[in-house]
Amino acid sequence: MASDVRQLSLFGRLRSAMPNWQRDTEVPGVQLYDRALLAAVLSLIGFGFVMVMSASMPEAQTLTGNPFYFMTRHVGYLVGCLAIAAFVLRVEMQTWQRWSPMLLLIVGLMLLAVLVVGTTVNGATRWLSIGPIRIQVAEVAKFAFAIYMAGYLVRRHQEVRENAKGFYKPIAVFAIYAVLILMQPDLGTVVVLFVGTVGLLFLAGARLLDFFALIFAGVLAFVALVLLEPYRMRRVTSFMDPWQDPFGSGYQLTQSLMAYGRGDWFGQGLGNSIQKLEYLPEAHTDFIFAVIGEELGFIGIIAVLSVLLFVALRSIRLGNLCLAMDKPFEGYLGYAIGIWVCFQTVVNVGASIGMLPTKGLTLPFISYGGSSLWVMTAAAMMLLRIDYERRMTLVQAVQGRLK
């Protein structure tokens, strides 16, 4: 390690002689991981713990008699995050690439198992109980499908760009996943998977004809799914004008809008939300952002969104750097995670402010829920691992020039 440090001290002298992709990577010394990204993720997780504690106490008191019930469970989820982080950071990216088809198959079998032996909550069968642990497999499916798509684009990149067959193969896999997830039912996860798939195919250079045909088919499928299920139709119509039925189909959204209205610029203060006192359903999960708006105001909202945007942009930038260094699997995976974080944030926030229909998607890193928190932690740690391997490649390049 000491020799590595001495070698790296000469990095500045070699910087001007390096290609552009090496000069733009900003590796000034021995920093071999993205500290800013790590700090952003840890701050979001820590902030999420505080907000879950604040938003969940009234409901926990009513349901269990213990106001710290959800907070205690969230601490257990955080312990799980440490174990997941330790595992993901140790696994090399080539291992994920090699096992991506098998991972996709295992998660697909888990989705089948959910339909047979899954646990039902609020009319939806989305959870698989493994001992004391209950996993929402649809969350894991996002992670597995992102890895699969990155691996597929590496193996079939030329075919995707030049042949419709290469373009529609991953769409067929997506369709299988979509059917299994819709049977739970969970339309929100299907939409996230679809956007991630379309985004990656577009970035990989797919033909525009195939791309627009897929977009058109996706929109038609979404409209059909909404029209075929009365509860989905109610969600769509209620978000357009929630005040038509403020105590029925529009109740959740009207209460959320009241929370934002009370927040004003600087909020009512941490812990001082009124809407979380069982006026706003799912205050600590799907609608936690409304509680953030009420307690911390517009300034708090902008701060949280800024950190989430930083994580998404950092992920996409990492994808660019990896592709420039001829690391396509890592590059496409970085793109996939960036699109995932960004789009899921947009849907969660958009639903809580009435710009989008309610989809039941969590706010990344912040909302209560073990499966979501664990999967997002795994995705973030994978970004750190990608960046670590990228920087190690730079260090080895510098050392090679010095020999």
Side-chain angles (χ1 to χ4, degrees), residues 122-385:
N122 294 331
T125 307
R126 300 176 184 174
W127 291 267
L128 195 62
S129 297
I130 305 174
I133 301 174
R134 194 167 67 183
I135 300 174
Q136 188 173 350
V137 184
E139 293 290 339
V140 185
K142 300 174 189 175
F143 182 72
F145 203 80
I147 295 173
Y148 162 76
M149 279 298 300
Y152 178 83
L153 290 175
V154 173
R155 297 190 302 271
R156 305 289 185 182
H157 183 253
Q158 199 66 25
E159 189 177 359
V160 168
R161 293 173 63 94
E162 298 176 357
N163 194 320
K165 183 179 178 181
F167 180 87
Y168 287 108
K169 280 181 182 177
I171 303 304
V173 178
F174 160 77
I176 296 172
Y177 259 49
V179 170
L180 293 175
I181 295 172
L182 285 171
M183 292 175 70
Q184 298 181 4
D186 186 354
L187 180 59
T189 295
V190 172
V191 174
V192 172
L193 289 177
F194 179 76
V195 170
T197 302
V198 170
L200 280 180
L201 289 171
F202 178 78
L203 293 171
R207 297 185 306 175
L208 289 179
L209 179 62
D210 295 326
F211 180 75
F212 287 121
L214 178 62
I215 291 288
F216 182 69
V219 171
L220 289 180
F222 177 80
V223 172
L225 289 169
V226 169
L227 294 176
L228 290 173
E229 288 288 348
Y231 82 94
R232 290 180 187 143
M233 192 64 190
R234 285 195 301 271
R235 285 184 176 182
V236 172
T237 54
S238 65
F239 102 91
M240 296 176 68
D241 187 6
W243 303 102
Q244 273 192 350
D245 189 11
F247 298 104
S249 60
Y251 177 78
Q252 195 171 32
L253 180 53
T254 56
Q255 297 300 317
S256 177
L257 294 175
M258 289 179 190
Y260 284 113
R262 293 190 74 249
D264 203 19
W265 283 95
F266 299 100
Q268 299 295 317
L270 187 63
N272 293 330
S273 168
I274 297 297
Q275 295 305 110
K276 71 181 181 184
L277 301 177
E278 298 191 71
Y279 294 106
L280 176 63
E282 309 295 340
H284 59 297
T285 54
D286 300 345
F287 279 79
I288 195 170
F289 202 68
V291 178
I292 294 173
E294 185 178 3
E295 295 189 350
L296 303 180
F298 181 75
I299 301 301
I301 285 175
I302 293 301
V304 174
L305 290 180
S306 297
V307 179
L308 285 166
L309 179 62
F310 173 82
V311 173
L313 293 180
R314 201 76 166 188
S315 178
I316 292 173
R317 174 180 177 273
L318 179 59
N320 282 332
L321 294 174
C322 288
L323 287 178
M325 295 174 62
D326 198 24
K327 289 178 173 287
F329 175 74
E330 292 85 346
Y332 289 126
L333 189 52
Y335 284 153
I337 296 174
I339 294 170
W340 172 13
V341 172
C342 185
F343 182 74
Q344 187 158 322
T345 299
V346 168
V347 172
N348 179 276
V349 175
S352 69
I353 64 177
M355 293 188 66
L356 294 171
T358 303
K359 284 288 179 291
L361 292 174
T362 57
L363 187 63
F365 303 107
I366 296 175
S367 292
Y368 174 82
S371 298
S372 174
L373 185 59
W374 289 342
V375 170
M376 294 309 306
T377 298
M381 294 305 105
M382 188 165 284
L383 289 177
L384 290 173
R385 177 71 198 194

Side-chain angles (χ1 to χ4, degrees), residues 55-64 70 276 278 280 282-284:
S56 66
M57 281 186 173
E59 185 172 349
Q61 178 68 41
T62 301
L63 293 176
T64 68
F70 291 114
K276 71 181 181 184
E278 298 191 71
L280 176 63
E282 309 295 340
H284 59 297

